[in-house]
């Protein structure tokens, strides 16, 4: 399938290590944030979300941290596996204006080395 | 989550022609969205489609170029009109479930020659 990571920053980690993917968001009014995983040839897959009234949320092997002061979001993946290789996007939205689409960050291409 | 399908999955088209992309959801949803993902890039919102009303377009996207239909709560179409090679992209639909949660279809990969 087509690669979606050709022009994106790349993060390479060893299998079993932890990885941290960072994202700077643009709108200080954004109150909802999502991390997506996109594998080659597929649509984005929802991983985890966080609302602005929280600064940390954990899922299975993933943790999202939100720092509203500096408008920074991070995704931590524990004990990475080969299946974690993909492009990861953060996305933000603001609910105050009614239902809106998402604004996506640039994306990071995560490569898991065997 | 939601089961979302798109047709066609990919197509190769000649410049000047138009292509209509279909998006089908397995259950009723109020909000549907269309995004474009240019090669090696992130996703950009084209428009928001509510059933029974005109689609709302983002800056840089116009109805004449990307007409959208939303005839019911499970279906939407996006047409890419008068195509040029610059329209070569992946086009994705998404639906909103719960509070702002959006789930995406598999995408339609369009190549314009």
């Amino acid at each position: 399938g087509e690669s979606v990571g050709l022009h994106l920053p790349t993060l390479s980690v060893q299998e079993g290590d932890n990885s941290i993917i960072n994202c700077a968001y643009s709108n200080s009014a954004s109150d909802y944030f999502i991390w997506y995983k996109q594998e080659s040839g597929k649509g984005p897959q929802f991983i985890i979300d966080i609302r602005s009234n929280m600064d940390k949320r954990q899922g299975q092997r993933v943790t999202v941290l939100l720092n509203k002061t500096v408008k920074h979001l991070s995704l931590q993946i524990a004990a990475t596996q080969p299946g974690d290789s993909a492009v990861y996007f953060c996305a933000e939205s603001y609910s105050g204006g009614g239902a809106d689409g998402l604004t996506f960050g640039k994306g990071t291409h995560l490569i898991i080395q065997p | 989550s939601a089961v979302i399908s798109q047709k066609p999955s990919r197509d190769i088209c000649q410049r000047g022609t138009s292509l209509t992309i279909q998006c089908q959801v397995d259950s009723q949803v109020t909000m549907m969205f269309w995004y474009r993902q240019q090669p090696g890039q992130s996703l950009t919102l084209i428009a928001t489609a509510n059933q029974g009303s005109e689609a709302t377009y983002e800056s840089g996207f116009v109805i004449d170029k990307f007409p959208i239909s939303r005839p019911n709560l499970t279906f939407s179409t996006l047409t890419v009109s008068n195509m040029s090679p610059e329209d070569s992209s992946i086009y994705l639909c998404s639906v909103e479930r719960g509070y702002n949660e959006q789930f995406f279809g598999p995408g339609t990969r369009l190549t314009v020659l």
Side-chain angles (χ1 to χ4, degrees):
Chain A
E2 294 180 25
S3 170
V4 295
L6 292 175
H7 307 295
L8 302 172
T10 298
L11 175 63
S12 184
V13 301
Q14 290 293 125
E15 181 179 352
D17 287 352
N18 300 333
S19 67
I20 300 176
I21 301 171
N22 296 302
C23 174
Y25 64 91
S26 56
N27 186 357
S28 57
S30 292
D31 56 5
Y32 179 63
F33 306 88
I34 310 176
W35 280 99
Y36 286 95
K37 172 186 180 183
Q38 188 175 30
E39 297 174 284
S40 182
K42 297 183 179 180
Q45 175 189 354
F46 178 100
I47 300 174
I48 191 168
D49 60 358
I50 189 169
R51 306 198 187 281
S52 59
N53 61 350
M54 304 173 69
D55 53 19
K56 181 179 180 179
R57 189 163 188 231
Q58 289 185 290
Q60 186 178 12
R61 284 200 307 119
V62 295
T63 301
V64 55
L65 300 177
L66 174 62
N67 185 331
K68 295 182 288 294
T69 302
V70 295
K71 295 190 289 185
H72 184 268
L73 197 66
S74 68
L75 175 70
Q76 301 176 2
I77 304 174
T80 52
Q81 304 168 358
D84 294 329
S85 292
V87 177
Y88 290 80
F89 293 100
C90 66
E92 60 182 296
S93 73
Y94 168 59
S95 60
D100 287 316
L102 298 170
T103 299
F104 278 78
K106 295 188 188 304
T108 297
H109 190 187
L110 178 64
I111 298 173
I112 308 302
Q113 303 279 6
Chain B
S1 63
V3 177
I4 306 167
S5 60
Q6 288 186 231
K7 289 181 181 180
S9 59
R10 61 175 64 237
D11 207 342
I12 300 173
C13 300
Q14 297 296 319
R15 70 170 66 214
T17 63
S18 298
L19 177 72
T20 295
I21 301 168
Q22 299 178 6
C23 179
Q24 180 76 51
V25 191
D26 66 337
S27 58
Q28 295 182 343
V29 293
T30 302
M31 305 297 298
M32 294 182 77
F33 304 87
W34 287 97
Y35 291 80
R36 180 175 73 182
Q37 186 175 27
Q38 294 176 301
Q41 303 293 321
S42 186
L43 285 77
T44 301
L45 179 66
I46 298 172
T48 302
N50 284 346
Q51 193 269 335
S53 63
E54 294 285 328
T56 303
Y57 289 83
E58 297 297 302
S59 176
F61 298 96
V62 295
I63 188 171
D64 290 346
K65 176 67 176 178
F66 297 102
I68 289 171
S69 78
R70 182 79 203 273
N72 57 53
L73 291 172
T74 63
F75 187 78
S76 179
T77 68
L78 170 77
T79 298
V80 186
S81 303
N82 188 25
M83 289 183 286
S84 67
E86 291 70 36
D87 294 320
S88 297
S89 291
I90 302 171
Y91 291 86
L92 299 126
C93 70
S94 73
V95 302
E96 187 175 80
R97 282 282 171 81
Y99 184 72
N100 288 103
E101 297 177 13
Q102 285 193 27
F103 298 92
F104 284 82
T108 295
R109 286 147 187 80
L110 171 62
T111 301
V112 184
L113 302 178

